[in-house]
Structure formats: C-alpha cells, structure tokens
Amino acid sequence: MPPREGIYGLLAEFNTPTDLVFATEQARQAGYRRMECYTPYPVEEAAEALHFHSTRVPLVCLLGGLMGVTTAFLMETWMSVWAYPLNIAGRPLFSWPAFIIPAYEWTILFAGLSAAFGMIALNGLPQLYHPVFNAPNFRNGATTDKFFLCLEATDPKFSLTETRGFLEQFPAVSVVEVDH
Amino acid sequence: MASGHEHHGEAGSHALAAHHGPRTLPSILSATTLVSAWRTRALLIAAVTAALSLPFLFVDGGRGHILRAYLLGFMTCFGFSGGGLVLLMLQYVSGGKWGLLLRRPLEAMSRSLALVFVMWIPIAIFMKHLYQWAAFPTNDAARDGYAKGLITHEQELTMIAKRAMFSPSAFILQSLAVFIILGLFVYLLNKWSLERDADPARGTERSYEYWRTKFENLSGPGIFIYVVLLTDAAIMWIMSLDVTWYSSIWGLQFLVGQGFAVFALSILTVIKLSKVEPMNTLLRKTEQHDLGKLAFAFVMLNIYLSFAEFLIIWSGNVPDEIPWYLNRIHGGWWTICSLDFICHWLIPFCLLLSRNLKRDKGRLALLACFMIFARCVDMFWLIEPNFKDAAGNLRLIGNWGILAYIPVPLCVLSLWAAYYLTELNKRPLVNVNDPHLEEMLEAEHAH
C-alpha cells in the first residue's frame, strides 16, 4: 500500500485539561466525530467528552476466561480418563472436584493474558508510525504537560479553513496542521 | 503556528463549572417518610407470615421445623447485625468513600443486635429440641442415651469429649459473652459517631484526624475480636447441630457469608433510599460501582471457601467428615445443593461481571434481593440435614412441616427489617464530619 499523503488533521494544543475538555465538548456539539484527545495522563472527562463509552476489552477477557476453563477442564479429563488412567484412592477416573482448581487457575491466566494483549491489540498497538508525531509540539508536550485535541481530516465536516477557525476560538496555545 | 488567545473563554469556564463543579449537600439529611412506609410494609409482611406459620404448630413434625426455620431466620439476622458491625469497623480501618456512604445503614444494622439478642432467647429456651447435646445435657445422660440406642456410639463419645463447650450452661455463657462484647463495640461506635458530628471543631483537619484515629484504634482490634466471637457463635449455634462433625474454616465461611449478605442489603438500602434526598445526591455511579465490585469480591471469596472446605473433605474421604456432605447430597438433597451453588455463586457471579449491571440501579437492587434469598437457601442447606429425619432424605410428601421454612424465616427477617428501618430513621443518613463527604459531592467522571 502506498503511503497516504495529504493532511491528517488539525492539532490544537492546550495548557490545561479543562480547556481541552471544553473544546472537545464543543467540537462534538458542532458535529465533529472523528477526533481524538491526547493527554499525558488519563483524563476521564476527556473520554466522556469524546463519548467514548465502552470497549471490547471485557468481552475479550471473558472469552479468554471461558477458553481457559474449557481447555484446562478438557485437558484434565483427557489425561485422567484416557491418557493416564490411574486409580487414586479408589476414586472414579473422572473426579471433577480435583479438576476445578487447575481449571480455575487457567481461567485467571487466560483471562488476564487476553485482557492485557486484547487491550494492546484493540489499541492498535504496536504501531510504528502515527502522523501526530509529525507535529514538533506534540513530540515535546504530549507525554509531559500539554493536552491535545486532533480533529481528523476524514471527518465529513472537516474543512481546513473552517475547522481552523473553529479551533482558534478556544484558548489553544497553537493550532497546527498535521500531515500524513 | 501559535495563536495567543487572551480571552480565556468566560462563558466556557462557567459552563464547565456547572457541568463538573461540586454539588451541594441537601438541607434535609433523612428520608423519614420513605423509611417509615417501608417499615409499615415490613410489619405487614411479618404479621401475614406469622399467621401463615401458625398452622404448622398442628402439622405432624411442624413444631420441630418451625424451630429449625426460626434458627435459620435468627442466624441470618445475626449475620446482618454482626456483619453490619464488622463492616462498619472495616470501613473505619480501610477508609474510602463507600464506607462513608454505607456508614449510617451499617450503624443501624449493628444497633439491631439488641433485637437479635431477644431473638436468641427462644433458642436458649428450646435448645433441647434443636441440639442433640442439649437433649442429653450431661455425660451420664449421653451414656444412658447410647445404652438405650437413642444415639450412636460416636455421638455419645464426641458429645462427652466436647462437653466443655456444648452444655446448656456453656451455651448460655458463651452466647451472653458474644452479645455483651459485641454490644460494647456497637455502643461505642454508635455513640462516637453522633459525637463526631456534634464536635464543635467539626470540619477542621484536627477534628478529622482525632476521630479517624479514635475509630481506627477501636475498630482494628474489634475486627479481630469479632472474628473470634463469630467463630465461636457459628460453631455453637449451627455447627453443633451435628455434634460429631467439625470444620476449621466454619467461622470464616460465616464471616464471608455475612459480608455477602450485608453488602447485598447495603446496596439495596442505598439504592432504594436514592429515590429521594439526601441519598439521591450522595449515591453516585462511582460508589455504586465500587459497592458492586466489593459484593463481587465476597461472592468469589464465598465460593472459594465453600469449595475449599468441600475439596479438602472430599480428598481426605475420612469417615468422620464425609457423612456431613453425603447427608447434604444424597436423598434429594442434591437439588438444594445445586440450587445453592447456582443462587449463591453462579448467578451473582455471572451478573456482577457486567459493568453495566453494577452501574444500573434497578438491576443491581434486584440482584441484591436475590443474594439475600441465596443466603437463606445456603442456610437451609446447612441447617436442615443435621436432623435425623432429614439427613440424606429430603422429602415433601408426608413431611409437610418442612414448608415452615418459607413463612417462618420471612417473618423473622421482616421483623428484623422493621427494627433496622426504625434504627435507620433515628439518625441523619450521612456522617457530615468526614473529609470524604466533600469528595462525594464532587461531580463524577464517567456517566
């Protein structure tokens, strides 16, 4: 795939999370949808302003847990009943109470791993390139003390002039174009 | 491409303050009318169920079942009262906004210990109809009972070996000790809580610090003392129904069961109270979600302990211990055993996994009711198979007395609920001299 060219979006830089959240709320009200906030630490109000409700991480975690419990239980059954049938204290070969603890451990292991890796995958990571890093102020500030709102060019409402005008009404430190 | 903006959006900041700024504490801090209406309803249910219980006096075997069902109701009420006390102490030690939110309901539960003590008196009076060791109150009586074939040799010997703990006088002494010591903690914690609000220096850092330390110093040792006393009480009141059996995890299992029930009841209380002020303002989604998560932890811990007990006894397969489970699985009891597992763990576990459910008032309150019901199913499974006529033999035909397990516990629980609601009405619903109050009045993040 050839590299995408042209403008990725307009990036507004703010000094405080309050300004960022306000601008995000206004942008949403103005009809923008394809936008993203970048903050040095989690700002829950920003997620709320973006109407970022739920993720699919819990579902991935649940599926992982179910996979873990099934795998472990079936494996133990197979081992005890067919592969290595041993008479232990005269108990039946299929002694399910003894299978519960390892099955439980596998549930936790699989659920934990799927939650962690599922979160990374759903975040689109690892990602070797992201256009916003083309903005020098983003590189310097995004992980320290600046708050960014990026209105993306793929949004149908996006227009270079109007969107810039819209962003400049806020107390943004700067509004810069970001190229792909 | 910096563009300096000097006009720091006046209107903007204001709109933000309205949306994210702190809310005000309502002027009236109690919901007297609502709680009184519930109390009337509880008393009505108690009257109706009491009337429904009466016919069992004349059913064959009905009297015995009324007493057993009464023990179930009593133990569940003790769970709310003692569990309320221990969670009250726990939240003082751990801190946290959920603790402040639940403080007054927990205090009201702990104050119901007085009623639970009154409920204990009939058990002390009729103990020889419940406990085998009380039916044969002396060692000679036990030997005589064995000679006449009324009890087994094992029962006779264990009864004699455990006589120091299981005799009518020891039963009364231990029970009184439990009630008196717990009563002392209930008294102090409740007294101080009012004094804390009336503190002339309230609202200052010094006052916060003074009361925090004072409550912590009582609650820390209090939790330990409670666990010891509860272990004794649970062994004495429930485990000794089968004098031959023992399990070292028994007390802890009741402790966790109490946490399970008390969280369910607290969630139910605050959600229902949130129909009106002040709880409408005080109960935020954040804290409700936290309470749901804590209840989930207790659901998990509960099955963990119950299953661990079963697994250890199943692995050991020792003739001393295994009949206890056989009596609770064979002869139809597997239905109750499965129902217990499903109600007590599977359903609350699966439902509480959902974030949306924990944040939904209606559905969470419904689940809380169901969890209280599940506690009763569990208690039924623990109590009824101890008796000779029911061990490994669950039946309804010709055993209609067993139906007493429906109205009697309901009656006892509704009477307790009426008392609890009366106590709840006696104080403002929130402890105002607490730094967490300010945090609870902040607007919350995610809707």
Side-chain angles (χ1 to χ4, degrees):
Chain A
M1 196 172 100
R4 289 164 74 180
E5 284 179 12
I7 185 163
Y8 172 74
L10 277 169
L11 186 71
E13 175 186 334
F14 297 95
N15 273 329
T16 66
T18 316
D19 292 339
L20 169 78
V21 170
F22 180 65
T24 312
E25 279 169 351
Q26 295 299 310
R28 185 162 169 101
Q29 262 180 25
Y32 291 96
R33 289 296 179 272
R34 291 187 181 256
M35 53 184 175
E36 187 63 279
C37 292
Y38 302 89
T39 57
Y41 55 84
V43 176
E44 289 199 43
E45 288 88 344
E48 191 193 322
L50 286 170
H51 285 239
F52 185 77
H53 281 304
S54 49
T55 67
R56 269 180 295 172
V57 177
L59 182 68
V60 174
C61 178
L62 179 71
L63 290 177
L66 289 176
M67 217 161 75
V69 69
T70 325
T71 314
F73 201 86
L74 291 179
M75 185 183 71
E76 286 175 282
T77 308
W78 172 74
M79 284 195 301
S80 306
V81 179
W82 291 289
Y84 291 93
L86 290 177
N87 182 340
I88 298 167
R91 289 198 180 80
L93 291 176
F94 179 69
S95 282
W96 63 267
F99 301 166
I100 299 284
I101 303 280
Y104 169 68
E105 307 286 352
W106 275 54
T107 314
I108 295 187
L109 179 73
F110 275 50
L113 291 179
S114 16
F117 288 111
M119 178 271 293
I120 290 174
L122 288 171
N123 276 336
L125 295 173
Q127 192 167 10
L128 298 178
Y129 173 79
H130 196 286
V132 286
F133 285 94
N134 290 334
N137 62 338
F138 187 86
R139 287 204 295 273
N140 296 330
T143 55
T144 50
D145 60 350
K146 298 293 186 204
F147 302 82
F148 294 90
L149 170 66
C150 185
L151 298 183
E152 290 160 21
T154 45
D155 194 296
K157 211 179 141 48
F158 187 87
S159 123
L160 203 49
T161 46
E162 275 171 37
T163 306
R164 172 181 296 281
F166 174 77
L167 283 173
E168 283 182 344
Q169 64 172 313
F170 303 113
V173 179
S174 70
V175 177
V176 294
E177 277 173 37
V178 180
D179 288 329
H180 266 295
Chain B
M1 212 185 270
S3 50
H5 281 274
E6 291 304 309
H7 56 284
H8 208 90
E10 280 289 295
S13 337
H14 278 241
L16 210 61
H19 195 178
H20 294 289
R23 299 148 322 145
T24 47
L25 186 67
S27 53
I28 296 166
L29 290 181
S30 52
T32 326
T33 338
L34 186 67
V35 176
S36 301
W38 295 343
R39 189 183 50 187
T40 317
R41 219 177 295 170
L43 284 172
L44 269 175
I45 296 174
V48 171
T49 47
L52 287 175
S53 309
L54 284 178
F56 287 100
L57 284 173
F58 310 104
V59 172
D60 196 28
R63 290 177 194 200
H65 278 107
I66 288 184
L67 203 57
R68 297 171 197 177
Y70 179 79
L71 181 68
L72 189 159
F74 163 76
M75 201 56 197
T76 314
C77 292
F78 178 79
F80 285 136
S81 182
L85 171 67
V86 74
L87 270 183
L88 182 65
M89 295 195 280
L90 188 71
Q91 61 83 24
Y92 277 128
V93 201
S94 73
K97 291 188 277 291
W98 67 272
L100 176 61
L101 186 72
L102 297 192
R103 196 169 293 161
R104 285 290 149 84
L106 291 177
E107 279 175 9
M109 285 182 216
S110 75
R111 288 199 300 277
S112 73
L113 192 72
L115 177 72
V116 176
F117 172 69
V118 175
M119 286 177 171
W120 168 80
I121 296 172
I123 290 175
I125 294 172
F126 294 110
M127 71 171 122
K128 71 172 195 290
H129 301 293
L130 276 174
Y131 305 97
Q132 204 176 41
W133 50 261
F136 301 92
T138 60
N139 292 349
D140 285 337
R143 286 189 201 102
D144 196 41
Y146 172 57
K148 285 181 182 156
L150 297 172
I151 52 174
T152 65
H153 196 33
E154 193 197 1
Q155 283 169 338
E156 177 218 339
L157 293 176
T158 43
M159 207 182 284
I160 291 171
K162 296 176 182 176
R163 188 59 80 190
M165 190 170 176
F166 300 144
S167 74
S169 51
F171 180 85
I172 290 172
L173 277 179
Q174 289 172 84
S175 307
L176 286 180
V178 168
F179 282 113
I180 290 169
I181 300 173
L182 294 187
L184 185 71
F185 280 96
V186 170
Y187 173 74
L188 285 177
L189 289 169
N190 279 284
K191 181 168 152 272
W192 291 353
S193 177
L194 278 188
E195 287 173 7
R196 179 184 192 158
D197 274 354
D199 188 351
R202 62 177 173 272
T204 61
E205 200 61 36
R206 197 171 53 83
S207 170
Y208 291 159
E209 203 58 14
Y210 170 77
W211 288 107
R212 189 181 58 80
T213 324
K214 193 164 171 164
F215 276 112
E216 275 179 14
N217 288 346
L218 183 69
S219 301
I223 292 172
F224 173 73
I225 293 170
Y226 180 78
V227 175
V228 174
L229 291 175
L230 169 71
T231 305
D232 185 60
I235 289 176
M236 186 170 51
W237 292 336
I238 306 291
M239 195 163 99
S240 81
L241 288 168
D242 180 346
V243 77
T244 60
W245 191 75
Y246 50 87
S247 159
S248 48
I249 214 165
W250 192 255
L252 212 54
Q253 220 180 325
F254 273 80
L255 185 73
V256 174
Q258 293 184 348
F260 182 101
V262 169
F263 264 110
L265 183 63
S266 311
I267 289 174
L268 188 63
T269 309
V270 289
I271 288 182
K272 291 289 171 192
L273 278 175
S274 72
K275 276 185 202 160
V276 294
E277 295 295 354
M279 218 33 108
N280 188 24
T281 306
L282 292 171
L283 178 67
R284 303 186 301 173
K285 279 263 163 18
T286 322
E287 273 76 49
Q288 185 191 321
H289 192 177
D290 287 347
L291 289 178
K293 285 188 265 188
L294 278 164
F296 180 75
F298 276 94
V299 169
M300 209 50 226
L301 195 56
N302 195 53
I303 191 69
Y304 179 82
L305 290 184
S306 309
F307 184 74
E309 185 184 47
F310 169 72
L311 188 67
I312 290 167
I313 290 177
W314 176 85
S315 309
N317 207 13
V318 180
D320 280 355
E321 300 171 339
I322 208 83
W324 193 86
Y325 275 107
L326 296 182
N327 288 343
R328 280 162 180 75
I329 293 170
H330 289 167
W333 278 102
W334 66 270
T335 46
I336 304 295
C337 185
S338 314
L339 194 70
D340 192 10
F341 174 78
I342 292 168
C343 297
H344 215 174
W345 181 71
L346 195 67
I347 291 177
F349 175 82
C350 292
L351 293 182
L352 282 173
L353 275 178
S354 155
R355 182 175 188 268
N356 291 342
L357 185 132
K358 280 180 284 202
R359 299 177 80 90
D360 181 306
K361 279 184 183 175
R363 283 188 289 163
L364 190 62
L366 212 60
L367 180 63
C369 292
F370 183 77
M371 283 167 73
I372 294 172
F373 163 74
R375 277 305 295 153
C376 295
V377 173
D378 185 54
M379 208 70 93
F380 173 62
W381 186 70
L382 290 179
I383 291 177
E384 176 67 5
N386 283 304
F387 298 94
K388 209 175 164 183
D389 58 304
N393 179 19
L394 176 70
R395 65 196 197 288
L396 195 59
I397 311 296
N399 188 28
W400 299 107
I402 203 169
L403 289 176
Y405 273 105
I406 299 168
V408 177
L410 255 175
C411 177
V412 176
L413 281 170
S414 355
L415 272 181
W416 180 87
Y419 192 90
Y420 161 63
L421 294 169
T422 312
E423 289 298 327
L424 191 64
N425 241 349
K426 282 188 182 163
R427 295 182 174 195
L429 289 169
V430 66
N431 199 181
V432 285
N433 188 18
D434 190 302
H436 284 309
L437 185 61
E438 203 180 320
E439 293 173 44
M440 258 164 55
L441 289 171
E442 277 170 15
E444 52 190 337
H445 297 176
H447 288 289

